[in-house]
Amino acid sequence: MIFSKPVLFSAIQPSGNLTLGNYIGTMRHWSKMQDDYECLYCIADLHALTVQENKINLKKSILDTLSFYLACGVDPNKSIIFIQSHVCQHSQLNWILNCFSQFSELLRMTQFKIKRKIEKNCAKRTSAALFNYPILMAADILLYQTNFVPVGRDQKQHVELTRNIANRFNSLYGNIFTLPEPLITQYGSKIMSLLEPHKKMSKSDVNKNNVIFLLDDIPNIVLKIRHAFTDSEMPSKIYYDIEKKPGISNLLEILSSITNKDINVLLKELEGIMYSEFKNIVADSLSKFLFKLQKSYNNYRCDESYLKKIAYEGAIKCQLKSEKTLKNIHDKLGLITFFK
Ligand code: TYM
């Protein structure tokens, strides 16, 4: 045991502006987990290199992301917040796990297939890192003997792969790794694009009207919600049905997640109203919610020395914890050391 409580690990790659999907899919759960779990919240900057083109943006994105972690209620006195590249044990375990991963299982990763298709369409070459990306994620998780991983639905397959790699390693070397479980909520684990609700809301979407960014200004948020795709059912009726009414169902999931109200409770309250009125309610709730979040974010973002202190202290804690797992693995693998 390297921690006294069950361990929870989550991360976001700072590859651009964070979206409402990131918030609803994972960040909104983080603060309430802090009392019951040993929480590690990581900024996956090495993952961001797989898609990153501009190093100045990456620096900014890392600090933006860190500020959002704090604004969402992650308390550095209760949880560990750290930047992945500050803890070199992640890269070391990444290599070792590469030796226990199979080419064919990586080829099956849906996220890789999607990203590769996008890169091909833009005439970009696919890096080996994009292919190996889920193994670094497995290293992140397994390094701390993680029990739970709160993620959106798109990352479920990666956590399953992590379990497979851990199982393979354990069957050869004994019970080295804890098998992690994904924590995925029924609603809000896949927020969809506003204009094309059959696809995931994603920070890399070329059509910015598909996406609510956490830093969008309020009038823009209202416009985006008002223009969101619904459907032409007559007479218009608000109910939850992903297949028949993907647009309305998506807006219901958004409203339910930010108000913490059950969808069935919302449906009773919304009975008989028109789509336009429904959108006004969503836009109003979301604007109020994001206004508060942005205010808190701005307070943290302007204090870079505080942000650096948090990241430094987090890294030191993680280095100490992860070194224990890594030493044990080196020992099992027969890698010798002449250093104390
Ligand atoms: P990333 O940066 O793409 O997304 C971060 C988190 O946000 C969730 N998410 C969504 N949830 C609901 N609806 C959406 N539209 C939506 N878009 C994104 C993702 O599921 C994710 O939970 N590989 C990871 C980062 C990572 C990680 C880890 C996660 C690196 N190491 C270890 C967990 C554990 C990624 O690229 O997430």
Side-chain angles (χ1 to χ4, degrees), residues 13 21-22 25 133 137 140 152 154-155 189 191 200-201 203:
Q13 48 166 325
N22 294 132
Y133 167 116
M137 183 164 159
D140 296 340
D154 61 324
Q155 297 296 322
S189 61
I191 297 298
K200 192 189 73 166
M201 182 183 283
K203 37 174 125 87

Side-chain angles (χ1 to χ4, degrees), residues 209-226:
N209 290 324
N210 261 331
V211 187
I212 301 275
F213 293 100
L214 297 184
L215 284 177
D216 272 345
D217 56 36
I218 302 303
N220 207 6
I221 292 166
V222 173
L223 270 185
K224 285 183 181 181
I225 295 291
R226 281 200 186 137

Side-chain angles (χ1 to χ4, degrees), residues 135-200:
I135 306 178
L136 178 58
M137 183 164 159
D140 296 340
I141 297 168
L142 297 177
L143 205 42
Y144 302 96
Q145 309 296 9
T146 300
N147 302 90
F148 300 107
V149 189
V151 278
R153 219 179 304 155
D154 61 324
Q155 297 296 322
K156 183 170 181 251
Q157 200 185 22
H158 293 163
V159 182
E160 281 162 1
L161 175 76
T162 302
R163 287 173 66 90
N164 290 344
I165 297 171
N167 256 324
R168 198 170 295 138
F169 196 96
N170 285 353
S171 67
L172 290 169
Y173 294 102
N175 268 343
I176 306 295
F177 292 124
T178 302
L179 296 186
E181 277 179 41
L183 289 184
I184 296 173
T185 50
Q186 185 185 0
Y187 298 114
S189 61
K190 191 169 183 186
I191 297 298
M192 308 306 269
S193 298
L194 296 176
L195 300 173
E196 298 160 88
H198 55 277
K199 68 173 199 188
K200 192 189 73 166

Side-chain angles (χ1 to χ4, degrees), residues 17 29 93 119 123 174 177 191 196 211 261 273 309 318:
N17 293 326
H29 304 295
L93 184 59
E119 294 205 332
F177 292 124
I191 297 298
E196 298 160 88
V211 187
K261 278 189 188 173
I273 70 167
K309 176 177 168 282
C318 285

